[in-house]
Each structure stands twice: as C-alpha cells, then as structure tokens.
C-alpha cells in the first residue's frame, strides 16, 4: 500500500507536465545544456508552483534515481521504471520541431537542413552545385544549392534567415536519402566556428546502452570450453584406429592423376591391380563406359584462356535509375496489351503545309506533325474519357483534365514534360510549349510542375528516327501510351479493278492497361484518333 500511495501521489503532481512541457518545449530542451541553465530562472517558478519542485530538480532526480515498483502491485513482475527514458523520448521528439537545438553544451542553437522531397517519387537526391559557401549569410528565398532529383535538377531555397555554418554534404555527393542532413545554419555569425568539426548525430545513441546487458553468454561459452576437453581426447583416439584401415583406397599415382583431371572419384572405380589396387587401365575403362574421351581432358586448360573483354563502367545517373525502376515496375505489375492501326496522313500533311504558310507570313513558328498528333490524341481522350484514367486498388480515377506527356530523349536520359489542357489549346500554342519544354529537358532544368500531372503519354520515334512501328511501355500511374511510327508511301487499291493509288500511311500503336481499358474501349479510342488524323479539319472545330 505504501508503494501504491506513493505512485498515486506522483501521478497527481505530474498530471499537468505534458501541457507545461508542450508550451515550454524550448525550456525543456535547453535544460540539457549547462550553458543555458541561467535562462531558466524565470520559468522555474511556474513549474515549482505547479509541481512543488523546480523542473531542473525533477530532471536531476529522474536522471539520478529510478522509481522502484514492487512485484506485487499489479500481480505480475515489472521492471523498474527509469526516469531518464521519459525525458529522453520527449526531448528527441521535440528537438526536431524546435529548430534542432543541440543537447551538447558546447554547441549553440542551430538548424539542421535535410534533403527535401522535391517530387512525389523522390527517395534520394544528389548535390549538383552549392550556390552558397560556409560563412555566407542566407535569407528566405535565396537559393542554397541545386539538387538533382529523380526527374530534374531543382533549386533548393532557404526558408529562414541566418548563416551557413557547415556544409555536411559536399558538391557532387550522391544518393543522399530524403531527410538526411546536408547543411547546418545558425542565427549568430559568431557561432559559425563552433561547427567547423561538426558531424550530424545519427539519432540513435540511446539504443547503444540497452544492447550491452548480456554478460551471461560469455559464461556459457566458458562452460562449453571446459566441457569440451573432457570428450575431445576420446574422439581423437577413436577415429585414427578405424578410418584409415577401412576407407583408404589404393591407386597408382598415374591413376590418381588421371582420375583427378577427369573429375572422377576413386571410390566409384573398381581396381584390378594387386590387392584391388586401381591402375591407369581401370580409370580409362571407367571413362570409356561413361562415354568420355580421356584425351580431351588435358586440352581444357589451354582452351579456358579467353582474352579479357575491354569495357567501361558508366555510373547510373539519377534519371537513369528512376527510369529503370519505374519501367520495370510497369512491365511487372501492369497487364499490357497493344492495338495497332495505320492512318492515312495525306490530308494531315496538306493541312500542315497550309498552316505553316500562314505561320511564316505572320512570323510564327512552324507546326510539326507531332503537334498535330498531340492535338488529335487530346481530342480523342475527350471523346473517350475512359482512356484518360488511372488504376488504384479501390477505384479507377477518371481525369477531367487532358494533360499530355511528351517523351523527350536527351543526353542525360528520357524525360516526359507535360502539356497541360492540350485539348483546349491551339496548334501554335502546343508547338510553342513542346519546344520550350524540350529545350529545358535538354538543359536538365525542368521543374516538378513541368513534368507532373500527366494523364496520357505520346512517344514519337517515327519522325526523328524513322522507326516504322514499336510498342511503348506505359508510364505509371497512367493507363495508356501512344507510340507514333514514321509515315511512308504505299500503293493502295483504287476504285477500279486495275486502278492503284499512292498514299502516305503512318502506323500508331496504343499500349493499354487491361485493368482500366478494355479492348473495345482501346479500339474505340484509336478509331476516334484515326478520324482526327485522316480528317484534320475536324480538329479546328
């Protein structure tokens, strides 16, 4: 009963601790620094009036003693409750939200800047370039560094005013996990020198002492070592007496060499020599019975000398790693099927030449076949919205916006910038945006808003490379991607029996996610797309 009354008394005193510590979290954190204790005098009185003792006294008591709990209080064995555990857990959770105050007495208050998540799929990043150096003053909105993400190189801005005290991850550092500390900032310029040899804390020091209490295993090992010598001599004396006399196989040196070169165990060969001795003839007879040639074996060492290949190992870029993982995920999890159709592009090419003549007269940029394809795909998605969707585990999400991603190949890898609301934009506007985004992709300066939010993808290998037809891999979480081949002239049958015409045809292949788009729906979309390509005037309505 004495223990129970003591626990109840402590619980009544501590019932307001969580509220006080939440309001005064900075005070609680700074209590662990010897240099900041004088600043607590104003706050200690408030704790003392509420709890009948000061906060510093309570922390000292908790760190020095444990509160004993008897075995019979709750009818079960319980371990003593250590006071420091409560405060350690509290301060570790609060230190992250309180600008990273240090628990070490020799470090002033500072802020740890972690690697940010600059895209939905980003798990790690690289430091491309630091625009600030150690000791520089930083202000909100100023660019600290350039971070290479899984999609592009993005500028990282500073959020608070201060001084850059320490660059933890140097320029060119790779595979930095999101949240990992890359730099330290301080409020006062005088504090910069104190972080010259600073290394970020791992955040797991409390776990080390808990792993130590294991002195019992060494004692068990000693017992085993003591017990082994008693049985060891018996095993050593009994083995030599039986093993050599019963298991030994007698063979001539030449037979042993031949059997070893042929990878044949001597135990499988029956000897015909004196007293069952295995001779060369026995080995040759055994090899002949297995259909092997004994003369072929010695020539193997000379044949195995293959000249070394000359190669160069090219490190993976961030965009290459992400492209590989996403496309592998797509082929492994999305049930692809493919629909191919040939479209006559004679009228499309005629309309394009007319529009380009108007563009040249007005000083505008020329319209490409790819611009017309993007417009036709966007209008077909508006007509068949089932293809403008994506799969989730609980529902199919059908998008109202028609945002077309356009595949762009660069020296750094494959990028897919997005033309948003392509169904509502004119051909000249689509062409202008595609050229602008393609240039940013080649310069590796795309921002997240330049490639996020797409609902459908167009990949064109026909015009630039002359590929006749190919099947593209779906870009998750989208449900379809259109692969554009090259246009070629073909001889087609005319209206009469002996009449033939020449027309230009372009092959297009639609890759569909069968979970979202059924075969008939994919065919309906291709029919609508083909109608816009073969009657391009309808796109202008």
């Amino acid at each position: 009963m004495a223990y129970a009354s003591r626990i109840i008394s402590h619980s009544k005193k501590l019932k307001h601790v969580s509220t006080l510590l939440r309001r005064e979290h900075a005070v609680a954190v700074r209590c662990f620094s010897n240099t900041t204790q004088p600043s607590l005098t104003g706050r200690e009185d408030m704790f003392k009036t509420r709890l009948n003792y000061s906060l510093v006294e309570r922390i000292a008591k908790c760190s020095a003693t444990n509160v004993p709990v008897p075995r019979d209080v709750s009818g079960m064995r319980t371990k003593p409750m250590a006071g420091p555990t409560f405060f350690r857990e509290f301060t570790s959770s609060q230190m992250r939200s309180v600008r990273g105050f240090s628990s070490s007495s020799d470090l002033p208050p500072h802020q740890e800047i972690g690697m940010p998540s600059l895209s939905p799929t980003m798990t790690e990043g690289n430091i491309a370039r630091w625009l600030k150096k150690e000791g520089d003053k930083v202000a909100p909105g100023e660019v600290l560094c350039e971070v290479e993400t899984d999609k592009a190189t993005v500028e990282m801005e500073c959020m608070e005013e201060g001084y850059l005290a320490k660059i933890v991850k140097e320029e060119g550092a790779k595979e930095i996990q999101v949240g990992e500390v890359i730099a330290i900032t301080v409020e006062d310029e005088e504090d910069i020198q104190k972080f010259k040899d600073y290394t970020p804390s791992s955040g797991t020091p409390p776990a080390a002492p808990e792993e130590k209490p294991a002195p019992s295993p060494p004692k068990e090992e000693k017992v085993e070592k003591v017990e082994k010598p008693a049985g060891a001599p018996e095993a050593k004396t009994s083995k030599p007496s039986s093993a050599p006399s019963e298991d030994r196989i007698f063979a001539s040196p030449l037979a042993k060499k031949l059997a070893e070169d042929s990878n044949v165990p001597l135990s499988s060969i029956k000897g015909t020599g004196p007293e069952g001795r295995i001779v060369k003839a026995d080995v040759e007879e055994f090899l002949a019975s297995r259909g092997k040639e004994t003369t072929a074996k010695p020539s193997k060492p000379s044949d195995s000398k293959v000249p070394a290949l000359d190669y160069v190992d090219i490190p993976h870029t961030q965009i290459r790693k992400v492209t590989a993982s996403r496309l592998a995920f797509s082929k492994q999890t999305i049930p692809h099927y493919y629909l191919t159709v040939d479209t006559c592009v004679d009228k499309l090419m005629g309309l394009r030449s007319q529009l380009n003549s108007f563009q040249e007269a007005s000083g505008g940029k020329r319209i490409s076949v790819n611009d017309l394809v993007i417009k036709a795909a966007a209008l077909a998605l508006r007509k068949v919205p089932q293809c403008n969707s994506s799969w989730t585990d609980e529902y199919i999400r059908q998008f109202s916006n028609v945002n077309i991603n356009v595949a762009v190949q660069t020296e750094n890898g494959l990028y897919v910038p997005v033309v948003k609301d392509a169904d509502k934009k004119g051909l000249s506007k689509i062409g202008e945006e595609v050229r602008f985004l393609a240039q940013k992709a080649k310069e590796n300066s795309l921002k997240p808003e330049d490639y996020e939010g797409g609902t459908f993808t167009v990949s064109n290998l026909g015009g630039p490379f002359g590929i006749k037809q190919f099947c593209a891999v779906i870009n998750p979480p989208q449900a379809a991607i259109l692969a554009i081949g090259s246009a070629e002239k073909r001889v087609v049958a005319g209206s009469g029996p002996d009449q033939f015409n020449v027309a230009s045809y372009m092959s297009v292949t639609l890759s569909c996610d069968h979970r979202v788009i059924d075969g008939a729906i994919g065919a309906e979309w291709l029919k609508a797309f083909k109608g816009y390509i073969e009657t391009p005037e309808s796109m202008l309505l």
Side-chain angles (χ1 to χ4, degrees), residues 327-522:
L327 294 184
F329 171 81
S330 176
K331 291 295 288 185
Q332 292 170 0
T333 61
I334 297 179
H336 287 60
Y337 74 91
Y338 311 96
L339 302 173
T340 303
V341 69
D342 294 333
T343 61
C344 182
V345 294
D346 286 337
K347 292 183 179 180
L348 185 76
M349 300 302 290
L351 177 64
R352 174 175 174 261
S353 62
Q354 292 179 15
L355 294 175
N356 282 335
S357 63
F358 291 126
Q359 288 289 98
E360 291 174 0
S362 61
K365 298 289 185 180
R366 292 175 62 85
I367 295 173
S368 66
V369 176
N370 201 47
D371 301 335
L372 292 163
V373 168
I374 294 172
K375 181 67 175 180
L379 294 176
L381 287 172
R382 193 167 65 184
K383 183 176 288 189
V384 187
Q386 295 91 328
C387 294
N388 195 41
S389 307
S390 66
W391 172 266
T392 67
D393 292 335
E394 298 182 359
Y395 49 81
I396 294 175
R397 175 170 292 172
Q398 190 174 114
F399 300 99
S400 301
N401 301 89
V402 179
N403 301 336
I404 305 294
N405 287 101
V406 183
V408 177
Q409 182 64 40
T410 68
E411 294 180 356
N412 299 318
L414 181 65
Y415 292 88
V416 280
V418 61
V419 179
K420 297 182 178 179
D421 296 322
D423 59 323
K424 302 175 183 177
K425 294 179 179 177
L427 292 171
S428 60
K429 182 65 175 177
I430 291 175
E432 180 183 345
E433 288 192 14
V434 169
R435 285 189 294 271
F436 176 72
L437 292 172
Q439 185 62 32
K440 291 185 70 175
K442 293 176 181 178
E443 295 173 355
N444 198 22
S445 60
L446 287 173
K447 295 184 177 180
E449 58 266 23
D450 296 330
Y451 51 78
E452 291 178 357
T455 61
F456 188 90
T457 301
V458 173
S459 179
N460 189 348
L461 294 180
F465 305 102
I467 301 300
K468 182 179 178 180
Q469 187 266 337
F470 70 101
C471 299
V473 181
I474 296 174
N475 181 24
Q478 299 172 11
I481 182 172
L482 184 66
I484 307 297
S486 62
E488 60 178 5
K489 292 187 177 295
R490 301 178 188 176
V491 178
V492 296
S495 56
D498 296 330
Q499 292 182 354
F500 298 94
N501 299 322
V502 177
S504 296
Y505 281 86
M506 179 177 68
S507 296
V508 297
T509 300
L510 181 67
S511 305
C512 300
D513 183 351
H514 215 319
R515 300 173 301 177
V516 181
I517 305 172
D518 295 329
I521 300 298

Side-chain angles (χ1 to χ4, degrees), residues 18-127:
S18 60
T19 304
L20 294 174
L21 292 180
R22 191 181 303 111
R23 294 176 181 174
E24 304 296 326
H25 53 274
V27 177
V29 173
R30 289 170 181 167
C31 282
F32 287 92
S33 175
N34 296 330
T35 60
T36 57
Q37 284 184 3
S39 64
L40 299 178
T41 56
R43 302 292 184 181
E44 283 190 33
D45 297 335
M46 180 175 62
F47 283 96
K48 200 162 186 176
T49 55
R50 293 283 188 94
L51 305 178
N52 296 328
Y53 45 75
S54 68
L55 178 63
V56 178
E57 293 173 357
R58 179 56 183 165
I59 295 175
K61 291 180 180 180
C62 291
S63 60
T65 62
N66 294 336
V67 180
V69 179
R71 297 183 180 181
D72 55 347
V73 169
S74 60
M76 57 190 298
R77 289 190 65 169
T78 56
K79 294 181 179 179
M81 226 169 148
T85 305
F86 165 77
F87 284 96
R88 190 186 305 119
E89 293 176 354
F90 169 76
T91 53
S92 64
S93 62
Q94 290 293 325
M95 284 171 66
R96 295 189 177 275
S97 61
V98 190
R99 293 178 44 83
F101 282 112
S102 172
S103 61
S104 176
S105 60
D106 59 343
L107 289 179
H110 59 278
Q111 184 179 14
E112 296 180 344
I113 300 177
M115 171 64 70
S117 178
L118 300 174
S119 71
T121 58
M122 177 178 173
T123 58
E124 59 183 25
N126 305 333
I127 301 296

Side-chain angles (χ1 to χ4, degrees), residues 107-156:
L107 289 179
H110 59 278
Q111 184 179 14
E112 296 180 344
I113 300 177
M115 171 64 70
S117 178
L118 300 174
S119 71
T121 58
M122 177 178 173
T123 58
E124 59 183 25
N126 305 333
I127 301 296
R129 184 164 64 106
W130 279 100
L131 301 180
K132 295 286 185 179
K133 60 181 183 293
E134 293 182 358
D136 287 354
K137 185 176 182 179
V138 293
E142 291 185 350
V143 179
L144 281 178
C145 62
E146 293 179 352
V147 177
E148 182 184 349
T149 69
D150 55 348
K151 300 287 183 64
T153 301
V154 184
E155 294 178 343
M156 177 182 171

Side-chain angles (χ1 to χ4, degrees), residues 164-200:
L164 184 59
K166 178 70 175 180
I167 295 178
V168 180
K169 299 296 181 181
E170 297 293 338
E171 188 171 304
K174 296 183 179 298
E175 299 180 356
I176 305 171
Q177 297 297 319
V178 171
E180 190 174 348
V181 179
I182 62 173
I184 301 296
T185 60
V186 294
E187 296 181 354
D188 300 328
E189 188 175 3
E190 303 83 47
D191 297 334
I192 296 176
Q193 294 298 327
K194 298 180 181 180
F195 291 87
K196 183 178 180 181
D197 300 326
Y198 175 83
T199 54

Side-chain angles (χ1 to χ4, degrees), residues 259-270:
E260 183 179 351
D261 294 340
S262 304
N263 293 327
V264 176
L266 292 175
S267 59
S268 60
I269 302 175
K270 184 178 181 180

